Amino acid sequence: MPPRIDPFTALDPDDPRYVEPYGPSGRVLAKRLRRGLAPMLLVGHPGLGKSTELRRTFAALTADGPAVFIDLADLDVETNPDRVLYDIAAETLRWWAQDGPEAQPSPFLVQDLRASDPTFPQGQGRTLKPAEIARACWDELAMAAKLDRVPLLVDGVDAMGPDDGRRTLLALLSLTEFADLAVVGAPALATGPENIDVVDHYRVVTASPVDPRDDKGAAHLAAIARSHLGERPVGDEPLARLVAASGGVLRDLLGLVRDAWAYADEDIDDAAVDDAIRDRTERFRRLLLAGDRKALKK
């Protein structure tokens, strides 16, 4: 059976296949947050390992004390900027009840959270706006943790459109009095005059592809490929072809490695690499619109 290689899923912090990146690592991001360099916005194109590094940041921070990690893709409702702070408050209280400080949330906070649900308010608590209930939650959490601010790591903003992502980032700033923020976003949120408020408030950290034409970059990508291949034999030349075909994007590299593993009869040879590259090329071809190929040739 092929190894479990999912290019679209972040690695767990303790996954033995992890290779320290060229760019900003979770260890480095955690160090910066400890030094007060928040709020932080980690940007980069899809497939560069941002979510993996945010999870490793979380693991490093929890060694020192409480920290909250929220992936917007895991929430029970379709998160949008108008209710994202309510969803974060609700997810924070769930974490708090299970793994948070020993001092539990007050009954009043729980009642207010139920009464403030934008979709289905219930109970006898106060009906508060999303920003108000989120601030109330994080204010109480910081006091229970006996900290000025608790780290809050948010993944998934990069999956939003630019307008929704921008509104979400600005809404999250209302928590900076109680939370040290680190958020994964798209490059479109960190450049251009429309993002002046984002760039003014967030410290932007960029994840970039690794250049497979550089000797050190190629060796780094090869190490990542070998870590996922396990004991499956692969020659230097077929491996170099997989690295070059990836363009330095980790998601594409892992997709090629997975497919080459499946196509190979025994060792991963040039024939298996040919089939993997053919599949990947066909995938990209299907995404092209009329005129794209002509424009790319210019």
Side-chain angles (χ1 to χ4, degrees):
M1 289 292 293
R4 182 184 60 84
I5 300 176
D6 184 354
F8 295 93
T9 300
L11 293 180
D12 292 331
D14 58 352
D15 195 307
R17 297 172 296 176
Y18 175 78
V19 176
E20 192 87 3
Y22 257 25
S25 68
R27 175 179 52 80
V28 170
L29 295 177
K31 184 177 181 179
R32 293 179 183 179
L33 286 174
R34 291 189 191 105
R35 293 184 173 183
L37 298 175
M40 186 181 302
L41 177 62
L42 178 59
V43 302
H45 293 287
L48 295 179
K50 303 184 300 299
S51 295
T52 291
E53 297 309 328
L54 193 69
R55 283 158 176 77
R56 293 185 69 84
T57 302
F58 173 68
L61 291 170
T62 54
D64 299 333
V68 180
F69 179 92
I70 294 175
D71 187 345
L72 299 184
D74 292 339
L75 299 183
D76 294 334
V77 296
E78 184 177 352
T79 299
N80 60 68
D82 295 327
R83 62 167 292 151
V84 67
L85 289 180
Y86 174 84
D87 295 333
I88 285 176
E91 197 68 14
T92 298
L93 254 65
R94 293 190 191 100
W95 163 84
W96 188 351
Q98 297 175 9
D99 302 309
E102 184 176 349
Q104 288 292 290
S106 69
F108 303 105
L109 179 60
V110 175
Q111 290 171 3
D112 289 347
L113 182 75
R114 291 173 176 166
S116 301
D117 189 329
T119 303
F120 185 59
Q122 55 186 316
Q124 303 300 315
R126 297 177 298 167
T127 301
L128 302 175
K129 295 179 180 179
E132 294 172 333
I133 189 61
R135 284 179 57 82
C137 172
W138 275 80
D139 185 12
E140 193 169 309
L141 171 61
M143 288 191 293
K146 299 179 181 179
L147 296 170
D148 291 335
R149 286 182 300 277
V150 175
L152 170 59
L153 284 65
V154 181
D155 197 2
V157 175
D158 53 336
M160 297 179 169
D163 291 339
D164 285 348
R166 189 177 304 112
R167 288 169 56 199
T168 298
L169 289 176
L170 297 179
L172 286 169
L173 292 174
S174 66
L175 297 179
T176 53
E177 183 180 349
F178 315 108
D180 283 330
L181 282 172
V183 187
V184 167
L189 300 175
T191 57
E194 65 274 17
N195 292 309
I196 185 171
D197 290 335
V198 172
V199 176
D200 277 352
H201 289 89
Y202 282 88
R203 188 178 307 274
V204 177
V205 180
T206 302
S208 302
V210 178
D211 188 352
R213 298 166 299 181
D214 174 77
D215 288 344
K216 290 183 178 179
H220 175 74
L221 294 168
I224 293 173
R226 289 190 184 279
S227 74
H228 284 75
L229 286 170
E231 297 180 358
R232 192 65 182 265
V234 58
D236 290 341
E237 182 59 29
L239 182 59
R241 291 183 61 206
L242 290 172
V243 166
S246 74
V249 177
L250 301 187
R251 179 179 294 174
D252 290 337
L253 175 63
L254 296 184
L256 287 162
V257 166
R258 177 194 60 190
D259 293 349
W261 202 106
Y263 275 120
D265 293 325
E266 294 181 1
D267 293 7
I268 295 177
D269 55 14
D270 282 329
V273 173
D274 286 342
D275 289 335
I277 292 176
R278 182 201 64 225
D279 283 357
R280 182 64 59 177
T281 302
E282 179 62 22
R283 172 182 175 271
F284 288 133
R285 184 180 290 115
R286 291 178 181 277
L287 298 175
L288 294 176
L289 299 174
D292 284 351
R293 293 180 67 183
K294 183 177 180 180
L296 288 171
K297 291 179 179 179
K298 292 182 179 180

